[in-house]
Amino acid sequence: MIEPTESESKAELDRFCEAMIKIRQEVADIEAGRLPRDDNPLVNAPHPAGVVLADTWSRPYSREVAAFPAPWVKQAKFWPTTSRVDNVYGDRHLITRITDEQPVAAHA
């Protein structure tokens, strides 16, 4: 169940509803065999700029579908910095790297 707060505008709620409808349409495309189960916008989301703008694109859907899954996204695109992380593996094997220890030590 999703419960929006009173602080959400009608426009924001409309965008949320559009996103849910779009996701359901993508699921229907998978169910009907128009998109493969293992290589589709839902399985591969999110699509960071580095993936969408790469020289090669071997996905069975367009780069535009990957970058702009809904019309309103073109006006307010948030580009994720990385693709999906395997949640369980990522939680158990998190690796961080600090490239320059000097600035970090100065702020600690």
Side-chain angles (χ1 to χ4, degrees):
M1 184 168 109
I2 299 167
E3 249 183 275
T5 65
E6 294 83 14
S7 62
E8 301 296 337
S9 67
K10 181 174 180 327
E12 186 63 28
L13 293 173
D14 288 345
R15 280 192 295 272
F16 176 78
C17 290
E18 288 174 26
M20 295 295 104
I21 292 167
K22 177 68 174 152
I23 289 169
R24 180 59 188 114
Q25 290 169 345
E26 290 174 353
V27 169
D29 287 343
I30 295 164
E31 290 171 338
R34 290 186 289 273
L35 286 171
R37 288 187 174 278
D38 61 346
D39 192 11
N40 60 68
L42 294 175
V43 170
N44 296 318
H47 297 83
V51 171
V52 174
L53 301 173
D55 290 339
T56 59
W57 182 260
S58 60
R59 307 279 165 84
Y61 52 92
S62 71
R63 292 176 195 244
E64 185 168 1
V65 167
F68 308 110
W72 56 267
V73 177
K74 288 184 179 182
Q75 286 90 31
K77 175 66 177 175
F78 169 80
W79 287 99
T81 57
T82 186
S83 293
R84 182 173 296 203
V85 175
D86 178 346
N87 293 335
V88 174
Y89 184 87
D91 288 347
R92 293 183 181 170
H93 301 92
L94 181 64
I95 298 171
T96 59
R97 292 192 175 95
I98 300 174
T99 57
D100 186 359
E101 292 181 26
Q102 194 66 6
V104 174
H107 296 290

